[in-house]
C-alpha cells in the first residue's frame, strides 16, 4: 500500500489549507440557520415548529443543490488535474442549466401550493397556516442559491476554496441584518414574522448570486468561456448525466429521507415540542460537523485531482485511507468536546435562549447526546460518500451505501419507535442515529476494496 500522503512534504498543511475556507464557509452557512432559528424562536414554539415543518420540503431542494454541485465537482476536480479549463466551463454550463430547471420547478410549487404542502408535514393545520407565508417565498431564494452554489463548487474544484467562504460570509451577514429588520419590524420596516425571515433569505441569496456573476466574468483562474458554457456539447452532457445523475438522485432521495424523519416527528403526540427541539438540536449538530464537511470537500478535491493527474492505483488508495483515518480522528475529538458542552452550556444556557423548557428541553437533550456521540461515524460517512467515492467516479456504490442504511433501517426503525411503540425521546433519538452506525463500516469496506477508482475524464475530445 502506498504511503503517498507521507511522500508529499506539507501534505496535512495542504489538507488544512483546502479545508479551512470550506470549514469557515460551512460555519457561516450553518450559523445562518442557527441565527434564523433563534430569531424565529423568539416569536414562540409554534412559529418555530411551523418554520421547521416548512423547511422540510425545502431541505429536499437543498439536498438537490448539493447533488448538482457535487456532480460538477466530480468532473471539475479531475479536469483541473489535467488543467483543462475548457471542459470545466462545459461541465459548469450543463450543471447551471440543469440546476436552474430543477430549482424553478420547486420554487413554483412552493409558491402556488404552500398550505397544501404544509398539511402533509404535520398533524397540526395551524402550523400549516403559520408556515405557508415562509414556504411561499423561500423557494425562490433557492433558485439563486442553486446558481451561486454551482459556481462556488467550480471554484472549490480548482482549489480556490476561499471564494465560497467570502461569498456566503457576506450573504450571511446581510441575511442576519435583514432578519432583524423584517421579522421584528425595526427601523421603520413592517414586522412580518416568519414571512420576513423568508424575504430576508431571498434578498441575501440574490445578492450572493450577483457577486458570483461579477466574479465569473472577471475570473483569471477559470476564465468564463461563453462558447463552452452555452454550448457544452453532447459528450459533456452525456458525461455529466452519467456521473452526476446518480449523485443528484442520491441527494434528492437522502434529503427526502431526512424530511420523512422530520415528518415522523411531526406526527408524534408531542409534535410541537418535538419539532421545536429538533430544529434547535439539528442546527447545533450541523455546527459540530462543519469541520467534517470541510474535510470531506477537501478530500474530494484532493482525490479527484490525484486521479486526474494519472497517479497509480496504489497511490490513490493509500491517499484515500490516510484521509479517512485523519477524518475519524478529527470527528472523535469534536464528539468529545460537544458532549462535554451538553450539561455545562446547552442545557442550562442555550436551550432556554431558544425557549425550550420542560418537555422540549428533555427532548432536545436526548437528541443532542445521541447526535454528538455519533459525530465520528457521521464524519467518516461524509468523507467516504461525498469525498472519496464520488471523487473516484464510484457514484453508483456511493448512492447505494448512502441510501440503503437510511431507507431500509433508519427510517423504519424511527417510525416504529416513535409512532407505533410510542416510546420516549431517548429511544427515538437513538433510532435516528442507526443510519450512520450502519453506513460507516459499509463505506470503509468499499474503499478498502479499491474498486472505486475511475478516471471519468478519459477519452474526452
Amino acid at each position: 500500500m502506498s504511503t503517498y500522503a507521507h511522500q508529499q512534504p506539507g501534505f496535512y498543511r495542504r489538507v488544512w489549507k483546502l479545508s479551512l475556507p470550506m470549514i469557515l464557509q460551512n460555519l457561516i452557512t450553518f450559523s445562518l440557520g442557527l441565527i434564523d432559528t433563534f430569531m424565529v424562536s423568539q416569536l414562540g414554539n409554534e412559529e418555530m415548529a411551523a418554520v421547521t415543518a416548512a423547511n422540510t420540503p425545502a431541505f429536499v431542494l437543498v439536498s438537490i443543490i448539493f447533488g448538482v454541485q457535487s456532480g460538477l465537482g466530480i468532473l471539475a476536480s479531475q479536469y483541473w488535474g489535467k488543467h483543462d479549463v475548457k471542459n470545466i466551463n462545459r461541465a459548469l454550463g450543463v450543471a447551471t442549466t440543469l440546476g436552474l430547471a430543477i430549482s424553478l420547478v420547486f420554487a413554483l410549487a412552493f409558491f402556488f401550493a404552500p398550505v397544501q404542502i404544509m398539511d402533509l408535514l404535520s398533524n397540526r393545520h395551524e402550523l400549516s397556516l403559520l408556515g405557508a407565508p415562509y414556504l411561499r417565498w423561500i423557494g425562490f431564494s433557492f433558485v439563486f442559491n442553486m446558481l451561486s452554489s454551482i459556481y462556488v463548487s467550480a471554484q472549490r474544484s480548482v482549489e480556490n476554496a476561499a471564494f465560497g467562504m467570502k461569498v456566503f460570509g457576506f450573504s450571511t451577514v446581510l441575511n442576519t441584518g435583514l432578519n432583524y429588520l423584517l421579522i421584528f419590524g425595526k427601523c421603520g420596516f413592517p414586522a412580518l414574522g416568519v414571512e420576513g425571515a423568508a424575504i430576508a433569505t431571498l434578498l441575501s441569496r440574490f445578492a450572493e448570486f450577483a457577486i458570483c456573476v461579477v466574479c465569473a466574468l472577471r475570473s483569471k483562474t477559470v476564465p468564463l468561456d461563453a462558447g463552452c458554457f452555452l454550448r457544452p456539447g453532447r459528450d459533456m452532457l452525456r458525461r455529466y448525466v452519467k456521473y452526476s445523475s446518480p449523485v443528484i438522485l442520491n441527494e434528492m432521495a437522502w434529503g427526502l429521507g431526512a424530511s420523512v424523519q422530520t415528518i415522523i416527528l411531526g406526527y408524534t403526540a408531542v409534535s410541537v415540542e418535538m419539532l421545536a427541539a429538533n430544529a434547535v438540536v439539528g442546527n447545533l449538530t450541523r455546527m459540530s460537523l462543519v469541520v467534517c464537511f470541510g474535510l470531506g470537500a477537501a478530500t474530494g478535491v484532493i482525490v479527484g485531482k490525484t486521479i486526474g493527474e494519472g497517479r497509480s492505483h496504489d497511490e490513490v488508495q493509500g491517499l484515500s485511507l490516510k484521509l479517512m483515518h485523519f477524518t475519524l480522528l478529527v470527528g472523535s475529538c469534536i464528539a468529545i468536546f460537544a458532549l462535554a458542552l451538553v450539561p455545562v452550556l446547552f442545557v442550562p444556557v442555550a436551550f432556554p435562549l431558544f425557549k425550550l423548557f420542560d418537555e422540549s428541553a428533555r427532548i432536545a437533550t436526548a437528541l443532542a447526546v445521541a447526535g454528538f456521540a455519533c459525530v465520528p461515524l457521521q464524519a467518516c460517512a461524509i468523507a467516504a460518500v461525498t469525498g472519496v467515492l464520488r471523487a473516484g467516479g464510484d457514484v453508483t456504490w456511493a448512492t447505494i451505501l448512502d441510501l440503503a442504511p437510511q431507507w431500509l433501517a433508519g427510517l423504519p426503525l424511527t417510525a416504529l419507535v416513535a409512532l407505533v411503540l410510542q416510546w420516549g425521546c431517548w429511544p427515538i433519538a437513538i433510532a435516528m442515529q442507526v443510519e450512520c452506525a450502519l453506513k460507516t463500516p459499509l463505506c470503509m469496506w468499499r474503499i478498502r476494496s479499491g474498486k472505486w477508482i475511475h478516471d471519468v475524464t478519459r477519452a474526452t475530445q
Side-chain angles (χ1 to χ4, degrees):
M1 186 60 66
S2 170
T3 56
Y4 177 60
H6 289 304
Q7 292 171 4
Q8 281 195 326
F11 171 77
Y12 289 107
R13 188 181 306 115
R14 181 189 175 201
V15 173
W16 283 116
K17 183 180 179 181
L18 271 175
S19 299
L20 282 174
M22 288 183 272
I23 290 169
L24 291 173
Q25 175 187 321
N26 288 326
L27 182 63
I28 290 165
T29 302
F30 294 149
S31 295
L32 173 59
L34 192 62
I35 292 167
D36 267 354
T37 302
F38 174 73
M39 290 189 177
V40 173
S41 72
Q42 305 310 299
L43 301 174
N45 264 12
E46 290 205 346
E47 284 80 1
M48 185 161 60
V51 170
T52 302
N55 274 322
T56 301
F59 186 72
V60 176
L61 183 51
V62 171
S63 300
I64 294 173
I65 291 173
F66 184 72
V68 173
Q69 68 177 111
S70 296
L72 172 62
I74 293 170
L75 294 168
S77 61
Q78 290 198 20
Y79 282 125
W80 181 240
K82 300 179 185 301
H83 298 287
D84 188 345
V85 176
K86 285 187 176 295
N87 273 313
I88 292 176
N89 269 276
R90 291 188 177 100
L92 181 61
V94 174
T96 300
T97 303
L98 180 63
L100 180 61
I102 293 172
S103 57
L104 274 174
V105 170
F106 273 80
L108 292 172
F110 293 168
F111 184 80
F112 288 110
V115 177
Q116 293 86 338
I117 294 173
M118 288 288 298
D119 277 338
L120 300 174
L121 307 175
S122 79
N123 55 4
R124 301 281 296 274
H125 182 66
E126 59 269 28
L127 294 185
S128 300
L129 298 178
L130 277 173
Y134 180 90
L135 186 61
R136 181 177 288 114
W137 294 110
I138 201 67
F140 290 108
S141 75
F142 288 114
V143 175
F144 297 111
N145 184 234
M146 172 73 84
L147 298 175
S148 58
S149 294
I150 288 170
Y151 186 69
V152 165
S153 178
Q155 287 291 332
R156 179 193 304 152
S157 298
V158 300
E159 300 181 276
N160 184 15
F163 178 77
M165 175 191 69
K166 296 172 183 176
V167 171
F168 292 129
F170 169 77
S171 68
T172 296
V173 172
L174 178 62
N175 199 344
T176 302
L178 291 173
N179 270 343
Y180 179 73
L181 296 176
L182 296 177
I183 293 176
F184 305 112
K186 303 296 182 179
C187 301
F189 286 86
L192 300 177
V194 296
E195 186 176 17
I199 294 173
T201 302
L202 173 60
L203 294 174
S204 63
R205 294 305 190 192
F206 176 78
E208 77 185 25
F209 164 71
I211 293 172
C212 287
V213 171
V214 172
C215 292
L217 294 173
R218 300 179 60 183
S219 175
K220 292 190 176 13
T221 307
V222 185
L224 189 63
D225 186 325
C228 293
F229 179 83
L230 297 174
R231 295 185 298 277
R234 291 184 179 181
D235 179 70
M236 181 55 68
L237 176 60
R238 177 191 61 78
R239 198 173 295 272
Y240 186 88
V241 169
K242 177 180 178 180
Y243 291 105
S244 69
S245 56
V247 178
I248 295 170
L249 292 173
N250 176 180
E251 293 300 333
M252 182 170 65
W254 188 89
L256 180 61
S259 299
V260 169
Q261 189 175 76
T262 303
I263 293 170
I264 291 171
L265 301 181
Y267 277 86
T268 56
V270 287
S271 57
V272 171
E273 292 81 0
M274 191 69 78
L275 289 172
N278 189 56
V280 174
V281 175
N283 280 295
L284 292 175
T285 304
R286 283 188 286 273
M287 292 286 286
S288 72
L289 288 170
V290 292
V291 176
C292 307
F293 280 112
L295 287 173
T299 295
V301 173
I302 293 170
V303 172
K305 185 182 179 185
T306 304
I307 295 172
E309 289 172 342
R311 298 281 182 175
S312 71
H313 185 284
D314 282 349
E315 285 179 324
V316 176
Q317 177 80 337
L319 170 67
S320 302
L321 289 173
K322 278 289 178 187
L323 288 165
M324 290 298 299
H325 294 154
F326 182 60
T327 302
L328 177 61
L329 175 63
V330 172
S332 299
C333 295
I334 293 171
I336 293 170
F337 179 72
L339 285 169
L341 291 179
V342 172
V344 299
L345 178 63
F346 295 145
V347 173
V349 179
F351 294 166
L353 280 176
F354 286 89
K355 309 297 184 185
L356 298 180
F357 303 102
D358 303 325
E359 184 67 20
S360 297
R362 285 191 290 272
I363 294 170
T365 302
L367 295 177
V369 171
F372 292 146
C374 290
V375 164
L377 297 176
Q378 293 187 53
C380 283
I382 291 166
V385 173
T386 66
V388 175
L389 297 179
R390 287 182 182 171
D394 197 33
V395 290
T396 300
W397 269 100
T399 299
I400 293 170
L401 296 177
D402 200 27
L403 296 180
Q406 181 190 47
W407 283 94
L408 299 181
L411 291 175
L413 184 60
T414 302
L416 175 66
V417 171
L419 303 181
V420 179
L421 300 177
Q422 297 186 2
W423 287 350
C425 56
W426 283 97
I428 294 173
I430 294 170
M432 291 170 65
Q433 300 302 325
V434 166
E435 170 192 346
C436 64
L438 296 174
K439 185 185 300 182
T440 300
L442 291 172
C443 288
M444 290 304 300
W445 161 77
R446 181 62 181 175
I447 291 172
R448 290 185 182 279
S449 75
K451 297 177 181 179
W452 53 273
I453 303 171
H454 311 282
D455 186 345
V456 303
T457 66
R458 193 168 293 163
T460 301
Q461 298 299 319

